[in-house]
Amino acid sequence: MKIESKIKNYYVEMLDNVLDKPNQIFLDLKYDKLFFFIDEKVYNIYKKRIDVFKKDNNFILINAIEHNKEFNNLSNYYNVLIENNFTRKDILVTIGGGILQDISGFIASTLYRGIKWIFIPTTLLSQADSCIGSKTSINFEDGKNLIGSFYPPDKIFIDVNFCSTLTYEYFNSGLGEIIKFHILSDQKRYKILKEYLSSNDLKSGSSFKNIIMSTLEIKKSYFESDEFDSGRRNLLNYGHCFGHALESASDFKISHGEAVIVGMGFANLLSLKRGIITKEKYLEFEEIFKKHYPKFDFSEINVDDIVYYLKRDKKRDGKKLTMILAEDIGKHYKYNDIKEEEVKQVYAEFTKFYLK
Ligand SMILES: NC(=O)c1ccc[n+]([C@@H]2O[C@H](COP(=O)([O-])OP(=O)(O)OC[C@H]3O[C@@H](n4cnc5c(N)ncnc54)[C@H](O)[C@@H]3O)[C@@H](O)[C@H]2O)c1
């Protein structure tokens, strides 16, 4: 897949057993040396193959926790590259999920005002969603993703086999975004989603690769016309306004995509209360979401914390709260008039009846 970007055009390729194919990746590239940022857990699982793939000692391991993509920690990553005499003729290679992607992307966009960067995503969320779209996001104090830039990798290689070692929680997290994109799309894509979700083995077979490609195609259609997120791309935040607040309020005990599933359920209930979605449609979507809500004790969450984080949402316009509400497949609208009281009332009902 070729992605047209105002920053630089880039490419996504599906490549099975990517770690055994360094020649296929690096042979046609011009560079002096490579440096690797590698997810620590991924390294421990795939150590032998990664060592052969990267050859030398030109790497660091990064623990994929939100704390490590905080602004205050960035100097560590710049330092290691500068100390290793990294120049603009070299390539940064990232092996990991969305956290490693955000760290690497921000560093790649700012070090020497932009360096070459290859990304090998290893989580379902990073393969089906975050790897394209050029966004890099860094946490600042207690605000998630408050600092960032637009900077895509030069090339992305997706090896779906990495997903076989993901925990239930992180596989489900990727499914959250896959579900969101297909609901935002059209009836044809929605049918593809429903067929995929009803298959016996979600992690293998051609339907797995197809659903990842389908998700990337939908995302591409949203951002190629609005790369810098000023219009239609905003709708991709369906499930995210509440989802981000929930991630923060739970101190990141809930994964990103799982928080998005809860966020879509919440947005839909609010849409039902406002008469935007019919009861029938509401129940149809709830049937999908409820199979993927995270196993989490929601009594741990204080709704005042949710409101606090909703107020800090960087997408907020105006004085009231912002949320993407749903009417049907592909019919989603941004509302800037959500009241605190409304959030509290819907939250009480949502946690009582739906998130049991
Ligand atoms: N920049 C963007 O466009 C964008 C979009 C969506 C999300 N994000 C960010 O991405 C982050 C979430 O990323 P994520 O969900 O991809 O996961 P992650 O990077 O947080 O990793 C999740 C967990 O899975 C482990 N892991 C990674 N690959 C593995 C594998 N193949 N086998 C076993 N374990 C593996 C990691 O070590 C970690 O423990 C959040 O910080 C979110 O804000 C960024």
Side-chain angles (χ1 to χ4, degrees), residues 251-318:
D251 203 16
F252 300 106
K253 284 188 203 126
I254 300 178
S255 65
H256 178 73
E258 291 192 317
V260 169
I261 305 173
V262 180
M264 290 189 287
F266 183 90
N268 279 14
L269 187 57
L270 210 149
S271 309
L272 182 68
K273 297 285 156 202
R274 285 191 169 205
I276 296 167
I277 193 171
T278 62
K279 182 87 184 176
E280 191 195 355
K281 285 280 163 202
Y282 173 79
L283 291 173
E284 181 185 331
F285 295 127
E286 189 56 28
E287 196 58 33
I288 298 177
F289 301 151
K290 75 178 182 202
K291 294 193 183 109
H292 300 279
Y293 284 146
K295 295 165 186 42
F296 182 78
D297 179 5
F298 281 86
S299 63
E300 275 185 36
I301 304 282
N302 184 339
V303 69
D304 290 329
D305 290 342
I306 297 274
V307 171
Y308 168 82
Y309 287 110
L310 279 173
K311 282 183 180 165
R312 295 189 56 148
D313 186 345
K314 60 182 178 299
K315 298 273 160 42
R316 192 153 77 94
D317 295 338

Side-chain angles (χ1 to χ4, degrees), residues 39 41 66 69 98-99 102 122-123 135 144-145 162 165:
D39 179 310
K41 255 187 218 151
E66 288 291 328
K69 61 170 238 192
I99 290 190
D102 274 341
T122 61
T123 60
K135 284 189 183 176
K144 190 175 152 64
N145 293 344
F162 278 116
T165 52

Side-chain angles (χ1 to χ4, degrees), residues 97-110:
I99 290 190
L100 271 277
Q101 178 194 341
D102 274 341
I103 294 170
S104 311
F106 190 78
I107 298 289
S109 73
T110 46

Side-chain angles (χ1 to χ4, degrees), residues 165-184:
T165 52
L166 285 175
T167 58
Y168 168 83
E169 175 195 12
Y170 281 104
F171 190 77
N172 197 36
S173 174
L175 288 181
E177 289 287 2
I178 288 173
I179 292 169
K180 180 202 79 179
F181 278 103
H182 286 79
I183 287 180
L184 283 173

Side-chain angles (χ1 to χ4, degrees), residues 15-44:
L15 194 57
D16 279 339
N17 303 316
V18 66
L19 292 174
D20 306 329
K21 297 172 181 161
N23 283 350
Q24 224 163 306
I25 294 177
F26 301 119
L27 211 59
D28 64 336
L29 295 171
K30 281 193 190 130
Y31 61 93
D32 282 353
K33 57 184 182 296
L34 303 170
F35 197 92
F36 293 80
F37 283 1
I38 305 172
D39 179 310
E40 197 172 344
K41 255 187 218 151
V42 174
Y43 184 68
N44 289 334

